[in-house]
Amino acid sequence: MDVNVEFWARDTKNAVKRGDVVIIIDVLRCSSSIIAALASGVGGIVPIKTVREAREVSRIHPEFILSGERKGVKPSGFKYGNSPVAFSKIKLEGAYLILTTTSGTNALSQAKEAKHVLVGGFLNAKSIAETAYNLAIKESEGITLALSGKKGSFSLEDFLGAGAIIGDLPDEVTLSDAAQAALLAFRGAKSSLTEVVKQGNHAKYLVSIGFEEDIRFSTQLNKYKIIPYLKGEVVIPSKST
Ligand code: MLT
């Protein structure tokens, strides 16, 4: 089984062509928010690319809760921003969220033609690795870890997040050089993960606008076993297989 890392969301189409199981990684903060919200009991999350479309869906489905960010903060009229800490505390059993973020929801839309699309990060690394491996074995396909990045730029935290997931795959998988590099980088950073992630540009920006707690929260390894799975247009929770 081949394991690849795609550094840019726009290249996720390569994974779709390969028939791979795709894991979307946006540690700060889209993946972490999706994992935390589903773990808190949210029924499903509708990822939307633009704020305009998100408002349009909200008009059609006023029962869905409008959430997301641009430049890291909540657009006007939205009920929630994109803070995984906030999503970890919400009591919205079974509610549906509309979520639009700068890069993460775009990365999800790039992958939606894939047979299986999962959402992973540090928070669910072990369970997402097990689920992706079991799905790929069943379909005798490979696994691609697709880094969301930030506005088209490479993301340190997404790369390390991919390494954390790769580290929980069985030894018999075949790693691409990029996958091997992600694993080595994670192993080097693991003992001081939050501090290393804070050296990334997006982390520094989030600290500057008051979201330092989101970085600590999003760098907790295996806090949850939740498996966010893109079914049609909605990300729903499935239990690790
Ligand atoms: C993104 O999707 O680019 C991020 O999640 C942005 C953020 O929430 O800071």
Side-chain angles (χ1 to χ4, degrees), residues 26 28-30 69 72 82 101-104 150 202 206:
D26 184 327
L28 295 177
R29 302 169 285 181
C30 186
E69 60 69 40
N82 187 36
T101 69
T102 310
S103 308
K150 283 295 163 283
H202 192 57
L206 289 174

Side-chain angles (χ1 to χ4, degrees), residues 1 21 23 118 127-137 143 169:
M1 180 188 299
V21 173
I23 305 171
L118 307 174
S127 53
I128 214 83
E130 286 166 359
T131 300
Y133 180 76
N134 292 337
L135 285 169
I137 276 277
I143 297 171
L169 290 171

Side-chain angles (χ1 to χ4, degrees), residues 72-188:
V73 296
K74 183 173 69 168
S76 67
F78 279 44
K79 182 158 176 60
Y80 288 96
N82 187 36
S83 165
V85 170
F87 283 124
S88 73
K89 294 174 182 164
I90 57 175
K91 301 282 173 257
L92 289 167
E93 199 60 35
Y96 272 60
L97 297 183
I98 296 165
L99 180 67
T100 180
T101 69
T102 310
S103 308
T105 48
N106 174 51
L108 268 163
S109 71
Q110 302 276 349
K112 67 182 181 186
E113 302 307 319
K115 245 184 289 186
H116 299 289
V117 182
L118 307 174
V119 176
F122 293 119
L123 290 171
N124 67 348
K126 186 168 174 41
S127 53
I128 214 83
E130 286 166 359
T131 300
Y133 180 76
N134 292 337
L135 285 169
I137 276 277
K138 227 184 285 178
E139 326 243 341
S140 61
E141 299 294 359
I143 297 171
T144 286
L145 297 101
L147 311 187
S148 163
K150 283 295 163 283
K151 293 186 201 156
S153 300
F154 174 80
S155 159
L156 170 68
E157 65 274 5
D158 294 350
F159 187 61
L160 294 171
I165 295 167
I166 292 165
D168 283 323
L169 290 171
D171 292 342
E172 62 263 24
V173 300
T174 305
L175 302 182
S176 66
D177 282 3
Q180 186 65 56
L183 177 58
L184 292 168
F186 171 68
R187 284 178 176 160

